[in-house]
Amino acid sequence: MITHNDDVDWDSWPVADYLAENYRDLHPADAAVITHHSAFYRRFAPGSVARSVEFGAGPNLYPLILAAAASRRIDAVEAGAGNVAYLERQFLYGPDASWQPFHALCRRLNSDLPATLAGALAHVNIVHADVRSLEPGAYDLASMHFVAEGATEDYAEFADFCRAFVQCVVPGGSLVAAFIENMPTHRIGPASHWPGCPVNPELVTKVFAPLTRDLSVTRIGTDPTLPDHGDSGMVLLTATAR
């Protein structure tokens, strides 16, 4: 039986376990993503992007940090109540110290980034909403990290999420994304199970090629310092919306 996005209680996402497993330390895989994305963001003059969106933000702050080098406003759009509450605490009380190494690497790779972590996050606006409800063409730039392939087990629904991601930017808008390669249904923490849609560079290219131009799809290998969910690395994307 295939699990679809609406079958899942995303409000119960195990935020603390997810952060402990993935983001309390800066792992080599995320350093590689940051390096790749920093090259993308260096194309833009500081503040040249009026509105950007993190498409399904989760509790991950480093994509928001990266976008601050170019964006005057960043909407962190997230449906899960637990993730939204975590983001709100980061802005109300200050970001967790574990995000400092992420900011330091981002700024080392792109000196246009604000000098402090708080300064980078000052550009962010938290939006508690389903990404599928975003208005088409509302943004100049969209970023997505580990969302479409982790939201469903259905390939058609994965493609639908990718189309919604592309369509939320204006024609000619910029896109940057990362996907877990071959992500199966997986466990986070001691007891919770979550959907996964196994994708690879070929499938990502097939989905995005009709929707974009200047498409670049690359991959990085498995990171042994991260939990072994049965995946085989990450797929990285940059593109321009047609």
Side-chain angles (χ1 to χ4, degrees):
M1 184 173 178
I2 294 176
T3 299
H4 294 87
N5 181 265
D6 290 340
D7 298 329
V8 179
D9 177 14
W10 294 105
D11 289 343
S12 66
W13 179 259
V15 178
D17 288 329
Y18 180 73
L19 290 170
E21 291 182 4
N22 294 280
Y23 298 118
R24 289 309 182 202
D25 298 296
L26 175 52
H27 294 276
D30 288 306
V33 174
I34 289 169
T35 300
H36 173 271
H37 286 11
S38 293
F40 165 80
Y41 280 108
R42 287 195 300 269
R43 304 175 190 172
F44 302 92
S48 62
V49 177
R51 294 189 70 197
S52 67
V53 62
E54 185 60 29
F55 188 94
N60 182 2
L61 296 193
Y62 82 69
L64 306 176
I65 299 168
L66 284 162
S71 305
R72 299 197 295 274
R73 176 189 171 109
I74 305 158
D75 283 353
V77 180
E78 170 57 38
N83 286 328
V84 169
Y86 175 79
L87 292 173
E88 289 175 340
R89 289 195 300 273
Q90 298 303 289
F91 290 89
L92 183 61
Y93 301 110
D96 294 343
S98 55
W99 294 110
Q100 292 290 349
F102 290 85
H103 173 263
L105 177 60
C106 292
R107 189 158 195 269
R108 189 157 65 246
L109 293 168
N110 189 349
S111 60
D112 291 333
L113 194 71
T116 67
L117 176 53
L121 297 177
H123 298 251
V124 177
N125 175 55
I126 302 166
V127 180
H128 189 180
D130 189 319
V131 291
R132 294 170 294 183
S133 69
L134 290 175
E135 179 185 351
Y139 296 97
D140 303 297
L141 183 153
S143 168
M144 177 173 67
H145 292 77
F146 321 124
V147 173
E149 78 283 16
T152 181
E153 295 174 8
D154 180 12
Y155 284 100
E157 193 170 32
F158 165 79
D160 288 343
F161 271 98
C162 293
R163 278 190 291 272
F165 171 61
V166 175
Q167 291 167 359
C168 78
V169 300
V170 295
S174 299
L175 304 164
V176 61
F179 307 84
I180 302 296
E181 185 181 65
N182 291 314
M183 168 62 82
T185 300
H186 58 286
R187 180 188 294 254
I188 298 173
S192 64
H193 290 267
W194 301 90
C197 186
V199 302
N200 55 40
E202 293 73 28
L203 179 62
V204 170
T205 299
K206 180 180 178 181
V207 170
F208 279 89
L211 308 172
T212 65
R213 55 182 173 82
D214 306 322
L215 177 63
S216 173
V217 177
T218 59
R219 69 174 298 278
I220 57 176
T222 305
D223 183 345
T225 71
L226 287 168
D228 182 4
H229 294 303
D231 59 278
S232 57
M234 296 182 184
V235 179
L236 309 179
L237 172 148
T238 62
T240 303
R242 287 190 183 276

